[in-house]
Amino acid sequence: MSKNFAIAIVGAGLVGRRHVVASRTLRDVDLIAAVDPSAQGHAFATENGVPCYDTLDELFANQTPDGIILATPTTLHVEQGIECIRRGCPVLVEKPIAVEASDALSLVREADRLGVPLLVGHHRRHNPIIRAAKDAIETGEIGNVRAVHVNCWFYKPDEYFDAAPWRKKVGAGPISVNLVHDIDLMRHLAGEVVSVQAQSVRSERGFENEDVAAALLTFETGAIGTISVSDSIVAPWSWEMTSRENPVYPPTSESSYMIGGSHGSLSVPDLRLWTHQDGQRDWWTPISATAMKCGASDPLVNQLRHFADVVRNGVAPIVSGWEGLRTLQVIEAIQNSCKSGRAVRISPLNGLGGSKQAAG
């Protein structure tokens, strides 16, 4: 009988704890250690019956995990990721992969150089809803994707910011904290983004960061995408409140994504496929929706199972380091466009030199 897949969790915060819960549901995955210097981290590790180390050095001196999950602050991802990779240990790093794309590139290239698997925790791609939507698009159910709209509106209470004052600072607004999830799914469902034009509005609560932003995205296919995000709007239209993915968010019956094609349209996450009768493609012809079916499973569990499959069986990562880097490029371009008021082109990764302002 083969040995179980042994993992260590680095960072025992909210996200790290969710990974621990996910690991407990898989019989062939063993949590063998945690890394977190805080008293809370050590207490959590004790509750779960595993040792807790203050540093990665201490972990590797005492344990040999098959894989590491990095659920630490984004500022630590590159340094810690490279340390794991240079020890030959595969890594699943939480999103975003890094603070800046140029730093993420060094991590991704090091993983490639040493041949060590590097995955990024854009877990929504592992949701059966997204798999069904992706299959419908790829099999031509809606024809050519022409436009995508994503809504990401919700209201974070004041105590959310008071509990962690860094959330009020520049760089900690909803563009960086929340939009990275939705941008990754836009790329996954509609293709690569080649340019963005964005605008943001300063926090109404007086914080240093933005609380409303919107962006127009151009995809390499010629499709257009629009996305709007706010953490200060009372609304039901966000992935968190429509997907039923995480039970801490009260569910609604709304959708947050609309994908428009030349032969039909798809709303997500309710997976309603809209087409005209008899394929007429005529606005005078009645249009109706068919509810697509898909199973239900925890994407974090699916992601962890996939991580084990990548490491043990050589399966290609669904979200590789390069994928995480491309998503971060788009986020950077949105931030730069908000600052400059100009359109920003996104450089190809084979010659990454950062995002560039478009002429004119």
Side-chain angles (χ1 to χ4, degrees):
M1 186 174 179
S2 62
K3 181 175 73 75
N4 281 358
F5 184 64
I7 62 166
I9 304 288
V10 184
L14 292 176
V15 177
R17 291 169 186 240
R18 289 189 68 200
H19 284 294
V20 170
V21 172
S23 73
R24 295 301 188 200
T25 69
L26 295 173
R27 293 182 179 179
D28 59 349
V29 174
D30 288 336
L31 175 68
I32 63 168
V35 178
D36 192 310
S38 70
Q40 294 87 347
H42 279 259
F44 181 73
T46 299
E47 291 169 10
N48 283 274
V50 297
C52 187
Y53 305 99
D54 288 349
T55 66
L56 281 169
D57 275 342
E58 290 182 14
L59 168 69
F60 286 116
N62 291 276
Q63 303 268 10
T64 307
D66 298 316
I68 294 280
I69 296 179
L70 288 181
T72 49
T74 306
T75 52
L76 300 176
H77 287 177
V78 172
E79 176 186 348
Q80 292 178 333
I82 288 177
E83 182 174 353
C84 294
I85 286 165
R86 287 180 177 169
R87 292 177 180 269
C89 187
V91 177
L92 169 62
V93 58
E94 267 301 334
K95 67 282 175 191
I97 185 173
V99 175
E100 297 183 1
S102 57
D103 292 331
L105 183 61
S106 65
L107 171 59
V108 172
R109 283 179 170 165
E110 189 69 356
D112 277 5
R113 184 180 74 85
L114 296 175
V116 179
L118 172 65
L119 288 71
V120 183
H122 287 290
H123 67 275
R124 292 182 188 176
R125 293 203 197 187
H126 296 270
N127 192 310
I129 295 170
I130 296 304
R131 291 176 181 170
K134 180 73 169 175
D135 287 344
I137 292 169
E138 290 188 338
T139 56
E141 294 286 339
I142 65 173
N144 297 325
V145 174
R146 302 292 295 124
V148 181
H149 175 69
V150 171
N151 225 60
C152 185
W153 292 351
F154 40 78
Y155 197 94
K156 293 177 181 176
D158 290 343
E159 52 263 32
Y160 170 87
F161 300 98
D162 293 338
W166 62 266
R167 293 170 174 162
K168 304 177 183 181
K169 303 296 184 180
V170 173
I175 292 177
S176 298
V177 173
N178 303 104
L179 209 59
V180 66
H181 300 277
D182 303 285
I183 289 295
D184 185 71
L185 286 189
M186 291 180 82
R187 289 187 51 251
H188 183 56
L189 297 174
E192 294 302 336
V193 178
V194 295
S195 69
V196 304
Q197 174 78 61
Q199 186 172 343
S200 62
V201 177
R202 187 76 173 268
S203 168
E204 193 174 56
R205 304 188 221 203
F207 302 158
E208 294 178 12
N209 53 36
E210 80 284 349
D211 68 0
V212 178
L216 174 67
L217 293 76
T218 303
F219 295 89
E220 64 181 2
T221 61
I224 294 293
T226 52
I227 188 166
S228 177
V229 63
S230 176
D231 59 11
S232 295
I233 291 178
V234 175
W237 305 294
S238 65
W239 177 265
E240 287 80 2
M241 296 182 72
T242 60
S243 67
R244 301 174 188 266
E245 186 178 272
N246 188 338
V248 303
Y249 299 105
T252 72
S253 58
E254 302 295 317
S255 273
S256 51
Y257 295 6
M258 292 184 289
I259 305 164
S262 56
H263 285 72
S265 290
L266 180 65
S267 56
V268 179
D270 66 1
L271 291 177
R272 301 184 77 194
L273 177 63
W274 290 88
T275 55
H276 287 292
Q277 289 180 1
D278 303 319
Q280 290 296 314
R281 293 200 291 168
D282 180 345
W283 67 353
W284 287 293
T285 300
I287 191 169
S288 59
T290 301
M292 296 172 54
K293 295 181 180 180
C294 76
S297 58
D298 186 337
L300 282 176
V301 174
N302 298 339
Q303 178 180 251
L304 182 52
R305 185 185 292 113
H306 172 68
F307 185 27
D309 212 17
V310 170
V311 175
R312 303 177 104 181
N313 302 317
V315 172
I318 291 174
V319 190
S320 66
W322 290 103
E323 283 293 291
L325 172 52
R326 290 185 181 99
T327 293
L328 181 58
Q329 275 191 295
V330 180
I331 291 295
E332 271 194 358
I334 290 172
Q335 292 168 326
N336 290 337
S337 181
C338 287
K339 292 175 184 176
S340 68
R342 303 179 66 184
V344 175
R345 291 194 300 269
I346 298 174
S347 305
L349 277 175
N350 57 9
L352 183 68
S355 303
K356 299 179 180 178
Q357 289 186 9

